[in-house]
Amino acid sequence: MSRNDALRAARLRVGWRSAEAAADALQAAGQRLLDDLHFTVSARTWRRWEGPRPGWPSEETALVLHDALGRWPEDLGFTTPPGWIRPEHHEETQMQTARLLDVTAAALVPGPLAPQTVDPALVDYFQSQLEGHYRADMLLGPHDLIGTLGPQFQLIDKLTRSAAGETRRGLLRVGAAYAALVGWLYQDAGDLSAAAFWRGITQEIALRARDPHLVGYAMVNSAQVRTDLGDGAGVVDLCEAALDDDRVVPKIRVMAMQQQAHGASLMRDRHAVDRLIDQADRLLPQVDDDLPWGNACRRTPGYLEVQRATCYGRLGLGVEASGLWSQVLGVVPATARRDRGVYMARHATAAATAREPEQAVEIAREVAVIAVETRSARMRRELATLERAMRPWQDAPVGRDLAEVLAPVTEGS
C-alpha cells in the first residue's frame, strides 16, 4: 500500500525536512493558533500520518494543519470520515443564508398586511421616479442604487395588497418595472443568481398585471441573464416566446430581436445576428409608446449598433467590431459613464483581436479608471476578456503595460 505522499510533499514545501521537524513546527503552530500550551504532535504521530493508513486528525488538528499548510486534511491524503464538513463551510453556509435573505427580503414580505387607503396618484408618483433611477444607474453603477430600489419595491408591494381595480393594476405594472431594474442592478454587479431571482419576480408581477407588454419585457430581461450565462439556446427560446405575442408594442419587439441576436452570436450564427439587428433597425422608428420602462432603445445613442458590435466581438470579428465601436463611441455622451466604460472595454478587446495591442492598452487606460469608480462587474468581466485576448503579448512590453494599467481594477475587485 502506498504512503501518504500528499502530506510529505506539503511539509517539504514549507521547509519541514523530517517528521521530527514537522511535528515540532506543527505543535508550535497549534499552540499559537489555539492558545493552548497542551496541544501536542509527536514525531511518531506524524510518521503514521505519512504512512499508508493515516487515519483522521481531530477537528482542532485539522484547523492547525490548514493554518500551517494551507490545505484541509482530505487534500493532504487523510481518509475522510463520513459526515465531515470543513469548518469554513459552516461559515460559508451562514454567509450564503444571510446573503439570500438580503437579496430576497424586499420581494418576500409575509402578509397579509394592515389595509390602508391607496390614492391612485401614487402610481404616477412611482412611475415618475423611474427615469431618475435609470439616469442614476448610468452615472453611479449598481451598488449604490440596490439599497435604494429594494425598499421602494417593498413599499409598492405593500400598497398593492391594499389597492383595488385599476389602481392595483397600475401598481403591479410599476412594481414589475422596479423589480426589473433591481434585477438589472444585480446583473451589472455580477450577481447572476440574485439577478435571476428578481427577473423571476418581474415575470410573476407582469403576469399578475395581465399586461402583455410587461410579460414580453420580463422575458427579454430573463434572456439577458441567459446571455451572461452563455446559454444561446435559452436566449433564443425566451426571445421567440416574447415575439410570439402580436399584441406587444414595437419597443418590445425591438428589444426581443436585439437580444435574440446575442443568443445567435453565442451559437456562432453571424447571418442570424445581422438579420435580427437589421429587422430591429427597420422597426425602431415605430417605437412611440409612453411606457416608462425599457426605453434604452430610444435613450441610448447607436443602440442597435452597440448590440451588433458586441455580437461581432463575441464572434471574434475583431476588425469589424473595432470599426463599429469607433463609430458608436463617437456619439455616446460622457455622462453615460458606466455604459461608455463597458463599450470601451469591448472596443479594446476587438482591437486586440484585430492584432492592435497598443491601441487596446490605450483604450484600457480610461476604462480602468471608470471600472474602479463604478465597481461594475460587467466592466471587470469585459476587462478579463481583454486580458485573455492580450495573452499573445503577455511577456512583451505592451503586455506588461496592460497588467500595470489593470492593477487598480484587480486590487479593488
Side-chain angles (χ1 to χ4, degrees), residues 162-221:
S162 293
E166 194 53 39
T167 301
R168 175 181 168 78
R169 289 193 64 191
L171 286 169
L172 284 168
R173 286 192 290 267
V174 76
Y178 272 75
L181 181 52
V182 174
W184 161 248
L185 293 173
Y186 275 116
Q187 187 173 346
D188 191 36
D191 191 338
L192 293 186
S193 58
F197 169 82
W198 279 95
R199 299 309 200 191
I201 293 295
T202 305
Q203 289 196 42
E204 175 203 315
I205 302 174
L207 288 166
R208 287 167 58 192
R210 296 171 180 81
D211 186 321
H213 313 303
L214 263 177
V215 171
Y217 178 57
M219 285 191 281
V220 173
N221 274 261

Side-chain angles (χ1 to χ4, degrees), residues 14-250:
V14 296
W16 301 345
R17 309 307 300 176
S18 65
E20 288 75 11
D24 290 345
L26 191 71
Q27 178 172 304
Q31 290 178 356
R32 287 194 303 272
L33 179 68
L34 303 173
D35 193 22
D36 180 3
L37 294 178
H38 298 291
F39 178 82
T40 57
V41 179
S42 69
R44 179 181 178 184
T45 297
W46 190 281
R47 281 192 287 271
R48 175 172 56 80
W49 286 347
E50 287 194 17
R53 295 184 178 85
W56 186 255
S58 68
E59 185 163 329
E60 281 188 345
T61 304
L63 287 169
V64 176
L65 283 165
H66 179 264
D67 184 68
L69 300 176
R71 301 172 71 185
W72 292 103
E74 64 266 39
D75 301 321
L76 292 169
F78 289 85
T79 304
T80 309
W84 161 250
I85 300 175
R86 295 180 181 182
E88 64 176 359
H89 286 176
H90 293 293
E91 296 179 9
E92 286 175 2
T93 300
Q94 292 173 348
M95 290 175 63
Q96 288 168 357
T97 301
R99 179 190 157 279
L100 180 64
L101 292 173
D102 186 51
V103 166
T104 63
L108 299 179
V109 177
L113 302 174
Q116 65 185 105
T117 301
V118 181
D119 193 303
L122 285 168
V123 176
D124 292 333
Y125 165 74
F126 286 114
Q127 284 188 174
S128 69
Q129 300 285 307
L130 274 173
E131 187 57 35
H133 291 317
Y134 292 140
R135 287 197 303 271
D137 169 46
M138 293 174 67
L139 295 169
L140 294 172
H143 299 276
D144 293 318
L145 282 180
I146 287 174
T148 299
L149 269 292
Q152 285 194 296
F153 174 85
Q154 194 173 64
L155 176 57
I156 294 169
D157 178 57
K158 175 174 176 284
L159 295 170
T160 301
R161 300 186 193 195
S162 293
E166 194 53 39
T167 301
R168 175 181 168 78
R169 289 193 64 191
L171 286 169
L172 284 168
R173 286 192 290 267
V174 76
Y178 272 75
L181 181 52
V182 174
W184 161 248
L185 293 173
Y186 275 116
Q187 187 173 346
D188 191 36
D191 191 338
L192 293 186
S193 58
F197 169 82
W198 279 95
R199 299 309 200 191
I201 293 295
T202 305
Q203 289 196 42
E204 175 203 315
I205 302 174
L207 288 166
R208 287 167 58 192
R210 296 171 180 81
D211 186 321
H213 313 303
L214 263 177
V215 171
Y217 178 57
M219 285 191 281
V220 173
N221 274 261
S222 293
Q224 290 179 346
V225 177
R226 285 281 136 194
T227 299
D228 279 3
L229 290 171
D231 178 10
V235 175
V236 171
D237 288 340
L238 286 161
C239 293
E240 286 181 343
L243 291 166
D244 279 345
D245 192 333
D246 293 332
R247 296 172 296 172
V248 298
V249 293

